[in-house]
Each structure stands twice: as C-alpha cells, then as structure tokens.
Amino acid sequence: GQNIDQPTEMTATEGAIVQINCTYQTSGFNGLFWYQQHAGEAPTFLSYNVLDGLEEKGRFSSFLSRSKGYSYLLLKELQMKDSASYLCAPGGYQKVTFGTGTKLQVIP
Amino acid sequence: DTGVSQDPRHKITKRGQNVTFRCDPISEHNRLYWYRQTLGQGPEFLTYFQNEAQLEKSRLLSDRFSAERPKGSFSTLEIQRTEQGDSAMYLCASSPETLGQFFGPGTRLTVL
C-alpha cells in the first residue's frame, strides 16, 4: 500500500524561499515525482528523483532520501504565479501514487 | 499541439445516463493512465495500459466503469448508469517507459 504525508496548506511571501516536505511509505518504490497543479487545471511535471540527493532545476529543487522515505520541494524567489498545489508522488516502475497535495499561497 | 488531449473538456449528464470520454496520448508514449480527481484531493489511480493491454485496474473502478485502448493509441473511459458520486475531474496521462507522466487537460464530469 501507499501512505503519503505532506502539509495541507502553506503561505509564503513573494521573493522568499519555501520548502514543501513529503514523507512516504510505499511498496515497489522506484522514484519520486513532484507535480504542480493550478486550480482547475491538470498537474504539470516538475521533477523526478531516483537517487538520493538534491536535483536543481532553475528556481525549483527537489531532494530525496530513500532510506528515510522523505522528499522535499524547494521553491526559491517565489512569484505570485507559484500559487498552486504541489503534489508529491512516489512511484514504482509502472505507476505513481499521488498525495493530496500542498496548497501554496504566495502573498505580496 | 503534441501534448495529451482529452475530449470533451466538460460533460454534464443526468443520473443514470452513460458517458464516454476520450484520451489521445502523446504519440510515442506507450503507457496511458486514467485518474479521477475530486476537489482537495490528489489524482486517484483508476487504470493503466501498456500499449493495448490493460495491466492494472484500481478497486475504485466499479463494474460500471470500463476502459479500452483498442489499437494502443487513443483510449476511452466509459461510465455506465452514472451516479452523483461520479462527479469529478477525469484525467488522462501518458508516459514513455521510465519518465514522468504527462497529463491531459482533463474532462470535468457533473452528474445531476
């Protein structure tokens, strides 16, 4: 089975840095995805971590610790358009399971 | 546009009617997934195909739901005798072998 835990909501200020944590317990783990989802829209792919460590991609970075069942998404230089839900999705080789998401609100 | 497409984008139906949704994946992707998402929740896995083979179905998928991918390209999801609890966003995603899934815009179903 799959058990995914991430905060329900977070608020951060424009220009700041925010870290969204995710802990998971899954069977058949292969890697972990992060998706961004704006209200009323489909999720869009942000990152995929297979190995332990930090993957940086522009303003967004994602970290994975397989032994701890822990990941985080780091957003730097926050912009108003970053207000969205961020979905943590640990995956096996063939499918992923989504958490309920963290709704991030960026305020001026 | 070479992304995943879904049709229709919105569907309003009366309880008890049948509905069918279509998904066209990215052409070189051999895997296709269906999810259902309700407000405040993450996408819930329904079923997935590798080429034309349906490899897994969630227990969420009652026998009123059926999905096909007859030629390994587009897929359809049919819901028979719709119920108000079926109201949700139905998302389709496709992927190549090992990378992330790419989602279509979704079909929002409202059952009155």
Side-chain angles (χ1 to χ4, degrees):
Chain A
Q2 316 280 7
N3 188 20
I4 302 162
D5 189 31
Q6 52 181 128
T8 305
E9 293 181 350
M10 297 182 73
T11 302
T13 305
E14 191 177 13
I17 299 173
V18 70
Q19 178 173 315
I20 302 174
N21 296 322
C22 172
T23 58
Y24 61 90
Q25 292 175 308
T26 68
S27 55
F29 180 80
N30 190 58
L32 190 139
F33 298 89
W34 282 95
Y35 283 82
Q36 180 191 59
Q37 187 174 26
H38 285 99
E41 298 181 9
T44 55
F45 172 79
L46 287 178
S47 67
Y48 178 47
N49 291 66
V50 176
L51 302 176
D52 285 358
L54 189 67
E55 296 269 348
E56 296 186 69
K57 192 187 295 185
R59 293 189 300 114
F60 292 6
S61 303
S62 56
F63 172 84
L64 177 66
S65 169
R66 297 173 68 106
S67 61
K68 295 181 179 177
Y70 169 67
S71 174
Y72 67 73
L73 180 69
L74 193 71
L75 292 78
K76 302 176 187 175
E77 301 168 18
L78 281 173
Q79 301 175 8
M80 299 300 291
K81 68 178 182 180
D82 297 330
S83 292
S85 287
Y86 291 86
L87 303 167
C88 170
Y93 179 66
Q94 293 178 326
K95 73 173 194 182
V96 299
T97 302
F98 288 86
T100 55
T102 298
K103 187 175 181 180
L104 173 67
Q105 183 179 15
V106 180
I107 57 176
Chain B
D1 187 348
T2 57
V4 179
S5 62
Q6 292 187 244
D7 183 68
R9 296 289 304 276
H10 303 274
K11 178 70 177 179
I12 300 173
T13 191
K14 292 182 180 178
R15 190 175 51 189
Q17 298 294 304
N18 299 344
V19 294
T20 300
F21 308 143
R22 176 178 170 125
C23 171
D24 287 88
I26 294 171
S27 60
E28 60 267 26
H29 289 182
N30 58 359
R31 292 185 179 169
L32 187 148
Y33 302 79
W34 285 100
Y35 292 87
R36 179 173 65 191
Q37 187 174 25
T38 53
L39 198 63
Q41 301 296 315
E44 295 176 291
F45 170 79
L46 294 179
T47 188
Y48 100 94
F49 294 83
Q50 175 131 355
N51 300 311
E52 64 275 10
Q54 188 174 20
L55 296 189
E56 189 171 342
K57 285 176 63 171
S58 165
R59 277 169 279 184
L60 292 173
L61 217 63
S62 75
D63 55 8
R64 296 185 298 107
F65 288 69
S66 62
E68 295 183 343
R69 195 184 183 196
K71 298 180 181 177
S73 56
F74 74 92
S75 175
T76 57
L77 177 70
E78 181 183 16
I79 309 174
Q80 297 182 326
R81 305 181 304 281
T82 52
E83 301 172 357
Q84 287 185 323
D86 297 332
S87 295
M89 175 77 88
Y90 289 84
L91 294 164
C92 174
S94 70
S95 78
E97 288 288 328
T98 56
L99 294 179
Q101 297 171 25
F102 295 87
F103 283 84
T107 295
R108 182 170 296 283
L109 173 66
T110 302
V111 181
L112 302 176

